Amino acid sequence: MRFKGVAIGSLLMAAVPVAASNALAQNVTVAVGAAVGSIDPHYYTLTPNTSLDANVFERLVETDAQARPMPGLATSWKLVDDRTWELKLRDASFHDGTPFTAEDVAYTIARVPTVVNSPGSFAIYTRPITGVEIVDAHTIRLSTANVYPLLPTDLAQLFIIPHKLGANPTTEDFNSGKNAIGTGPYRFVSYKPGDRIELERNDGYWGTKPAWQHITYRMITNDAARTAAMLSGDVAMIDQVPTADIARLRADKGVSLWETVSLRIIYLALDQGRDGPTPFVTGPNGEILAKNPLKDLRVRQALSIAINRPAIVQRVMEGAAIPSAQFLPPGSFSYVPGLVPPPTDIAKAKALLAAAGFPNGLKITLHGSNDRYLNDAKIVQAIGQMWTRIGVQTAVETQPWSSYAGHATKLEYSVFLQGWSISSGEASNPLRALVATFDAAKGRGTVNRGRYSNPALDSLIDKAVSTADDGAREALLIQATRMAMDDVAIIPLHNQKNTWATRAGFTYVPRADEETRAYDLRPAN
Amino acid sequence: MAVLEKPVAAPRARPREQSPFARIAGDFAQSPVAIAGLVVIVVIILLAVTASLIAPQNPYDLAQLDIMDGRLPPGSSSADGLTFWLGTDDQGRDMLSGILYGLRISLIVGAGSALVAGLVGTSLGLTAAYAGGRVEAAIMRLVDLQLSFPAILVALMILAALGKGVVNVMLALVIVEWASYARTARGAALAERAREYIEAAECLALPKWRVVFRHLLPNCLPPLIVIGTIQVARAIALEATLSFLGLGVPITEPSLGLLIANGYQYMLSGKYWISFYPGIALLVTIMAINLVGDQLRDVLNPRLQR
Amino acid sequence: MLLWFLRRLLQAMFVMLAMSLIVFIGLHAIGNPVDILISPEADQAERARIITQLGFDKPLWQQYAYFLQGALHGDLGRSFVFNEPALQLILQRMPATLELAVTAVLLSVLVGLPLGLFAGLYPNSFAGRAVMAGSILGFSLPGFWVGLMLIMVFAVSLGWLPSSGRGTTAALFGVQWSFLTRDGLAHLVLPALNLSLFNISLVLRLARAGVRETMPLDYIRFARAKGLSPTRVVFVHVLRNILIPVVTVVGLELGSTIAFSVVTESVFAWPGMGKLIIDSINVLDRPVIVAYLMIVVVMFVTINLVVDLLYTALDPRVRLGGRA
């Protein structure tokens, strides 16, 4: 966004010295906690997939560890007019030796929407692109229908594949390795579904030389088994360190921990779509209420200030989160300065409830998943405790995501736990998805499952996303975020931290976007 | 299991000078280990029934819990002076209270589902073996169908259709378990059916149900009791596994299994008490049930000489 | 006999049909796969497009009809998550599960049967009682808990065995197997043990019960009276008689062990079908779930067939086809 296209990209990596020549250390095993489902980089927009893909393929625009855009296969980009971006491409070559050119970019953009059966298509990132013009081998112009300042952010999701793969390359051919040809630091060798992926160093990589000759990328989805693999020395690095094991691993001299605040916000959604009774909120004796109490700002405020966020972070998350009162963590583009969680105030919460006409409190069933977000089932139980203390008798019900997601999408819950990963790293994405009025035609409010609606907020968001100037846009996004949070459209709880553990003697660059990249794992000197 | 009260009419049974019940009681009492098991069971049941009176805390009441007391080691005290003799779990729940309440749920779930599944499965299995033909084919293919169905899928379907709850978990366990009884009962009955005493009973033109339940069943009991006592344990363990997968009883009303599942993630970090003590409670319970079950099986076995 | 066999085959097809129908309705009741699978970033238009593409806009009976049509041509559909044919995905992972399950069942017979014989022959000795009491450990603790304990002791504390995964494999008949390499075997030990614990107890107890019941029978007494060596009596006469329940249960358990090694596979990161099915259930990947269950049904029907045949071989008193 603020980035003007200067090639400082590999600064982060360049700071780390080249690998030691120890032959044994040339083979490294990395264990990830989420199973990779496909090697095809355009099949499914799922972090475990993109995380692996990021070792093999590269994007035009990359993001640094804090999710800020930086040059990838494009060395620079600029607006040539309101609706046309021009990108300068890097001198790089694919693993099979063919040089990377503008033709590959055009091919990739054309291929993405043609992938069939995709349950999470990357087409949402190519759709804004209405025209592709190859200027020369290393220059390409992309045009959009409207003013679209987020194009570089969208391009930061698209992995480039070589055009020589031809028409309709199949997912099977990616999985077998035939099509798995990228420009990235590691070459794909083999894929054993549910078990491991083998990678080899790409010696022709344009950037700093990758540290390891051979990477085994293992999938260990069971948390305890992953920690055990770390403790027993079977693997050099694990991602998604379980919060329960952080303290033990931190105390272990043979292990180093690497953590960063992630772009994932955990929050409570509140049913504000129903004017009449909402199914899981009743009066203190179970009596059905004629009006939905969650439509009353005072009730929402009371529920929010009753929650002791630092206690949740400290006791439930064991420090692997930061308390939050907005979407993004500090330091992000469009973070609202000074908007911090309200202090927990039981007396004030009770007073607010009484003012709203509920001096004897309420009865709420709080719903949550139990296998989706870090400690989700524990978080809702802890909130249940806290609400009980302000006179809101809280029952807690948790379900596996497979059953929970359907109920939540069908708007069957009243108060429920949700999480959202802000892939763009700025506030327009959560504003549009979580709190903008649900509107299928405009593609707004897609996961606004509380059906919060505020026309003033909507127009502010619309204005922000069509503002090309970064400074002006950020100001608008900050204003919109503040408006949504003052109105308690949702109750933000915390931003999760992403934690990796390595054996001692390694360094790692923890990423806010949850991707686990072997390239960022280096020997410590 | 279902027919413990009428273990009669086997061909080689000893002369009946006393009532069958007294005979069983007498034979049972011959094993001090089994008596000890019985005593333990009685104590456990008493503890479970009186949990709400003797537990220091009501672990199901969120108002009595405080996450600030979470994961305290055994012997710690809370801010308001309550001592946690066995420590606390992640929500600040007193483990001792949790175990007492959890025992109750686990016993109901384990014994209840095993009993119902045993009744249903044994009846169907015997019917299949004795009736033969289409009935047998239908029942046994139903068994195949059920055995192929993963417990997790059954539990998930019931959760989706009926919601969370202890009764729904029991229902899922019954659906998962009846087939093993049916299979075993049929296997044993097939072997027995061909024996002389059944033919003799048939020659006497006894009603079919009488042949099945009074003659066939008692002789098929030993393997069924083996399966039965194991299945009580298995049901409790399976409930724990369902909890582990997020499909068990409600999280605010933990069973022993759910307590163990919750403690699982703390095992590597040295907070052993969260899963260790419920594990011990589970072990003792199941040990006792099996000691009694083993002796009962021997006592009830018409062919076993003592 | 042939007729009996054909009838069983027909029945098996009915079971498969019933199974697929139950799964379709059941999964429909659990939730809409689109809600779980779809990228959260997708907007409403994209969502509608995907629903149409995957056929979820059609009524359930129509979706089922499509499935049946495909199934008749040997196509069980493509996984939503992997975008590969469901059947191929499952077959790919079958060897891992097969070798784990067979090892576990072998272990349970090799350990359980001798211990059960021993406990049955000397029921009142201290050792006999200890074996029985010890066997309770095998089924009273949940498998996931025991699995992690095994990892903690043998991998983390002692460092004797690897903590998880499948290790190096070698090819045999074009399939990769772990048991052919030293490293693979080392990886196999803990999960197989974890998986077999329950079955060891079960076989042990069945064997003991059988021995206790058989020893007083007339033909055994006769054999002993005839002066046959105790070894011969036990291994020929007694063993033969107790094999029936053991065979039933081992057969059954092989089936469930193969099918539902879910927990062991996930605790030990063993890349088999059990892990695939649980992952698929979690995201309601219907083609994989249906295909998997079809395979498992076939397996169970086959196992039951074999068990029934073994009955006749082991016990002449059992007549197949019976009074049908």
Side-chain angles (χ1 to χ4, degrees):
Chain A
M1 317 256 124
R2 284 191 171 149
F3 182 76
K4 298 293 185 229
V6 191
I8 54 162
S10 46
L11 203 70
L12 235 157
M13 290 84 191
V16 185
V18 184
S21 54
N22 181 354
L24 264 179
Q26 290 297 300
N27 297 327
V28 161
T29 303
V30 170
V32 294
V36 176
S38 176
I39 309 298
D40 185 339
H42 303 143
Y43 176 59
Y44 198 171
T45 53
L46 210 59
T47 308
N49 287 7
T50 53
S51 180
L52 171 86
D53 290 331
N55 292 291
V56 178
F57 304 93
E58 287 180 294
R59 294 125 160 168
L60 290 174
V61 178
E62 289 287 342
T63 49
D64 68 10
Q66 297 316 310
R68 286 176 297 249
M70 65 178 206
L73 283 176
T75 50
S76 68
W77 49 91
K78 61 171 192 250
L79 274 170
V80 286
D81 64 50
D82 251 10
R83 286 148 209 225
T84 309
W85 291 84
E86 184 178 278
L87 295 96
K88 289 286 182 199
L89 305 182
R90 184 181 299 281
D91 247 332
S93 56
F94 286 98
H95 297 156
D96 62 352
T98 42
F100 158 70
T101 66
E103 209 172 333
D104 301 313
V105 177
Y107 170 78
T108 298
I109 291 172
R111 191 238 170 182
V112 165
T114 66
V115 178
V116 287
N117 294 333
S118 166
S121 172
F122 284 81
I124 49 176
Y125 303 116
T126 56
R127 206 160 41 201
I129 302 170
T130 50
V132 177
E133 184 200 343
I134 297 175
V135 179
D136 61 48
H138 286 100
T139 313
I140 194 164
R141 284 186 177 180
L142 305 176
S143 44
T144 56
N146 304 307
V147 177
Y148 192 66
L150 291 177
L151 191 74
T153 317
D154 282 357
L155 292 177
Q157 307 287 341
L158 286 184
F159 291 104
I160 302 297
I161 55 173
H163 73 276
K164 57 165 250 189
L165 295 183
N168 303 321
T170 66
T171 301
E172 279 101 326
D173 283 342
F174 278 96
N175 292 351
S176 74
K178 184 165 164 264
N179 283 350
I181 301 165
T183 57
Y186 287 95
R187 278 190 301 114
F188 175 88
V189 177
S190 70
Y191 166 50
K192 285 189 195 162
D195 184 20
R196 66 187 60 200
I197 290 136
E198 308 278 354
L199 303 172
E200 285 281 337
R201 171 159 59 208
N202 170 17
D203 286 313
Y205 187 58
W206 57 266
T208 315
K209 200 174 166 204
W212 318 104
Q213 183 61 41
H214 189 98
I215 301 284
T216 305
Y217 199 87
R218 278 184 59 191
M219 304 166 223
I220 306 182
T221 49
N222 185 280
D223 283 345
R226 203 161 56 254
T227 304
M230 178 92 261
L231 289 172
S232 64
D234 289 355
V235 299
M237 172 164 82
I238 60 171
D239 71 357
Q240 299 180 25
V241 177
T243 54
D245 298 327
I246 288 179
R248 160 152 192 193
L249 290 172
R250 185 162 283 146
D252 191 326
K253 283 202 173 59
V255 175
S256 313
L257 286 180
W258 311 88
E259 62 175 28
T260 186
V261 177
S262 83
L263 297 171
R264 194 182 289 278
I265 174 77
I266 302 297
Y267 66 96
L268 293 179
L270 308 160
D271 174 25
Q272 293 155 81
R274 292 177 181 83
D275 290 321
T278 182
F280 291 101
V281 182
T282 62
N285 304 311
E287 66 273 23
I288 293 176
L289 300 166
K291 276 176 64 189
N292 177 359
L294 298 173
K295 301 259 322 184
D296 189 321
L297 173 63
R298 290 166 297 191
V299 173
R300 301 199 297 270
Q301 281 171 335
L303 293 178
S304 178
I305 62 172
I307 297 172
N308 185 346
R309 292 173 179 80
I312 293 179
V313 164
Q314 195 196 105
R315 304 300 306 172
V316 177
M317 299 299 293
E318 303 198 39
I322 56 166
S324 176
Q326 54 177 303
F327 302 115
L328 289 153
S332 316
F333 182 84
S334 63
Y335 172 80
V336 185
L339 184 56
V340 294
T344 315
D345 190 335
I346 291 175
K348 191 174 159 201
K350 280 182 171 164
L352 280 165
L353 279 180
F358 305 104
N360 299 319
L362 290 163
K363 217 172 179 164
I364 289 182
T365 303
L366 171 62
H367 287 89
S369 52
N370 56 21
D371 57 357
R372 176 75 172 181
Y373 309 112
L374 276 181
N375 303 323
D376 40 11
K378 294 182 193 170
I379 295 168
V380 287
Q381 276 192 88
I383 292 173
Q385 293 181 11
M386 292 161 183
W387 282 355
T388 307
R389 288 181 171 72
I390 60 160
V392 173
Q393 305 161 45
T394 311
V396 170
E397 190 178 318
T398 61
Q399 294 196 356
W401 182 252
S402 53
S403 168
Y404 176 84
H407 292 295
T409 314
K410 281 187 236 152
L411 314 180
E412 287 171 10
Y413 296 144
S414 293
V415 187
F416 52 109
L417 189 79
Q418 296 273 290
W420 182 256
S421 181
I422 303 163
S423 58
S424 68
E426 47 75 62
S428 80
N429 162 299
L431 280 167
R432 278 174 57 85
L434 308 186
V435 294
T437 306
F438 180 86
D439 185 335
K442 290 184 179 152
R444 262 191 337 215
T446 43
V447 275
N448 180 355
R449 292 177 183 140
R451 289 294 185 264
Y452 172 81
S453 175
N454 180 350
L457 178 64
D458 293 343
S459 55
L460 203 54
I461 297 171
D462 283 349
K463 196 171 155 199
V465 294
S466 54
T467 303
D469 179 73
D470 284 344
R473 189 167 75 253
E474 182 170 27
L476 286 167
L477 291 174
I478 287 175
Q479 194 188 341
T481 305
R482 197 180 279 284
M483 184 187 276
M485 295 306 157
D486 285 349
D487 206 20
V488 199
I490 58 169
I491 301 180
L493 298 172
H494 53 255
N495 290 106
Q496 288 182 357
K497 280 184 187 168
N498 298 334
T499 314
W500 286 260
T502 63
R503 302 298 307 171
F506 292 86
T507 63
Y508 185 68
V509 185
R511 293 182 64 87
D513 60 13
E514 303 179 9
E515 285 180 2
T516 297
R517 300 186 178 191
Y519 188 63
D520 295 342
L521 179 69
R522 301 264 162 183
N525 279 49
Chain B
M1 309 221 10
V3 277
L4 297 185
E5 307 90 77
K6 32 169 167 173
V8 274
R12 288 184 202 96
R14 51 168 78 170
R16 286 193 239 168
E17 330 57 34
Q18 43 186 164
S19 81
F21 193 77
R23 178 182 66 84
I24 293 167
D27 286 351
F28 186 87
Q30 282 176 6
S31 161
V33 181
I35 296 285
L38 194 64
V39 171
V40 173
I41 289 186
V42 170
V43 170
I44 285 173
I45 291 177
L46 275 179
L47 286 177
V49 170
T50 58
S52 49
L53 301 174
I54 53 176
Q57 183 193 60
N58 177 358
Y60 297 171
D61 180 5
L62 286 179
Q64 295 191 27
L65 310 182
D66 189 339
I67 48 165
M68 299 316 282
D69 294 333
R71 305 189 303 272
L72 293 177
S76 317
S77 299
S78 74
D80 19 314
L82 181 67
T83 306
F84 303 117
W85 294 110
L86 301 182
T88 59
D89 74 358
D90 55 277
Q91 292 291 322
R93 192 176 280 122
D94 174 38
M95 288 311 299
L96 179 61
S97 310
I99 288 171
L100 291 171
Y101 276 72
L103 260 179
R104 180 156 68 186
I105 298 207
S106 286
L107 282 179
I108 294 173
V109 167
S113 65
L115 198 72
V116 178
L119 269 174
V120 174
T122 308
S123 317
L124 286 174
L126 289 180
T127 313
Y130 191 74
R134 293 234 171 99
V135 179
E136 178 177 33
I139 293 177
M140 292 327 289
R141 295 303 79 75
L142 203 61
V143 168
D144 288 347
L145 189 67
Q146 179 48 54
L147 286 175
S148 332
F149 233 85
I152 171 180
L153 202 56
V154 174
L156 198 56
M157 284 175 181
I158 288 179
L159 175 75
L162 305 173
K164 271 224 166 176
V166 175
V167 177
N168 298 343
V169 170
M170 281 175 66
L171 183 61
L173 293 179
V174 168
I175 294 179
V176 170
E177 285 183 344
W178 70 268
S180 340
Y181 290 97
R183 197 74 180 75
T184 314
R186 172 177 170 270
L190 269 186
E192 294 295 328
R193 197 186 60 184
R195 294 204 175 184
E196 306 84 2
Y197 68 90
I198 297 290
E199 278 177 29
E202 280 172 345
C203 287
L204 289 173
L206 292 178
K208 274 196 172 180
W209 64 266
R210 201 183 148 89
V211 178
V212 172
F213 286 100
R214 307 256 328 188
H215 298 265
L216 203 49
L217 180 60
N219 285 286
C220 300
L221 270 185
L224 281 174
I225 293 181
V226 179
I227 299 275
T229 43
I230 288 183
Q231 288 292 0
V232 174
R234 200 180 200 184
I236 295 177
L238 191 57
E239 188 273 316
T241 304
L242 288 180
S243 295
F244 176 63
L245 299 170
L247 294 163
V249 296
I251 44 164
T252 47
E253 296 170 25
S255 60
L256 284 185
L258 183 54
L259 288 173
I260 296 174
N262 279 341
Y264 173 82
Q265 55 186 306
Y266 294 105
M267 281 166 70
L268 287 170
S269 56
K271 299 184 182 73
Y272 67 92
W273 61 90
I274 306 180
S275 66
F276 180 73
Y277 291 122
I280 293 291
L282 183 62
L283 198 63
V284 170
T285 309
I286 286 171
M287 186 87 85
I289 292 176
N290 277 280
L291 290 176
V292 172
D294 285 353
Q295 183 69 8
L296 260 188
R297 181 198 54 217
D298 289 356
V299 169
L300 291 179
N301 191 339
R303 268 186 242 133
L304 207 60
Q305 228 178 29
R306 279 170 298 268
Chain C
M1 186 69 194
L2 185 70
L3 194 69
W4 174 80
F5 192 77
L6 283 176
R7 207 182 298 140
R8 281 294 278 267
L9 213 64
L10 194 72
Q11 290 169 6
M13 312 239 303
F14 267 111
V15 172
M16 286 171 73
L17 201 68
M19 169 66 88
S20 61
L21 195 62
I22 294 174
V23 175
F24 258 76
I25 296 172
L27 289 184
H28 187 72
I30 294 173
N32 187 345
V34 175
D35 292 333
I36 291 121
L37 289 167
I38 208 165
S39 156
E41 303 274 335
D43 59 18
Q44 291 92 336
E46 176 67 12
R47 189 182 147 89
R49 194 186 64 76
I50 290 168
I51 288 176
T52 320
Q53 201 177 50
L54 296 179
F56 288 121
D57 52 337
K58 309 256 177 4
L60 190 66
W61 66 267
Q62 218 168 9
Q63 297 179 34
Y64 185 62
Y66 281 138
F67 163 77
L68 280 187
Q69 212 175 8
L72 284 178
H73 297 92
D75 172 17
L76 295 178
R78 288 174 87 85
S79 158
F80 302 144
V81 176
F82 297 94
N83 197 19
E84 289 203 44
L87 198 59
Q88 180 190 324
L89 272 173
I90 294 164
L91 294 179
Q92 240 173 15
R93 302 189 190 205
M94 198 181 247
T97 299
L98 271 184
E99 90 178 316
L100 181 62
V102 170
T103 314
V105 168
L106 274 181
L107 258 180
S108 62
V109 174
L110 288 180
V111 178
L113 204 55
L115 283 178
L117 279 178
F118 174 80
L121 291 172
Y122 309 100
N124 297 317
S125 69
F126 175 77
R129 285 181 190 279
V131 165
M132 277 304 278
S135 75
I136 296 175
L137 281 174
F139 54 82
S140 53
L141 289 171
F144 61 88
W145 196 83
V146 176
L148 189 55
M149 286 306 271
L150 289 175
I151 295 178
M152 276 172 69
V153 173
F154 292 103
V156 177
S157 300
L158 298 173
W160 291 351
L161 292 164
S163 62
S164 62
R166 206 178 166 201
T168 319
T169 53
L172 180 70
F173 307 125
V175 179
Q176 296 290 321
W177 303 97
S178 291
F179 70 91
L180 296 173
T181 68
R182 217 185 127 81
D183 179 55
L185 268 180
H187 280 84
L188 190 57
V189 174
L190 288 184
L193 185 64
N194 184 214
L195 198 55
S196 67
L197 275 183
F198 176 81
N199 290 339
I200 290 179
S201 306
L202 198 61
V203 169
L204 188 158
R205 300 182 139 243
L206 285 167
R208 175 181 177 273
V211 172
R212 294 265 285 141
E213 186 182 306
T214 311
M215 286 308 280
L217 291 185
D218 298 338
Y219 77 96
I220 300 290
R221 290 190 191 177
F222 180 69
R224 283 158 92 179
K226 228 169 47 174
L228 292 181
S229 76
T231 334
R232 192 175 158 79
V233 172
V234 169
F235 285 97
V236 177
H237 299 274
V238 176
L239 200 58
R240 188 184 167 95
N241 202 50
I242 62 171
L243 274 182
I244 276 238
V246 172
V247 166
T248 319
V249 171
V250 165
L252 271 180
E253 291 299 323
L254 176 66
S256 11
T257 310
I258 291 175
F260 315 125
S261 45
V262 170
V263 169
T264 298
E265 287 191 9
S266 87
V267 170
F268 287 91
W270 189 263
M273 316 193 286
K275 191 137 178 333
L276 176 69
I277 186 67
I278 193 163
D279 291 345
S280 300
I281 289 174
N282 281 336
V283 293
L284 302 181
D285 194 348
R286 192 174 69 195
V288 179
I289 301 175
V290 177
Y292 172 86
L293 289 177
M294 303 292 260
I295 290 179
V296 173
V297 168
V298 171
M299 198 172 73
F300 267 98
V301 171
T302 317
I303 287 176
N304 280 349
L305 198 76
V306 173
V307 168
D308 280 353
L309 288 175
L310 275 179
Y311 271 174
T312 34
L314 290 173
D315 190 340
R317 287 173 303 180
V318 179
R319 292 183 310 251
L320 280 175
R323 308 161 193 195

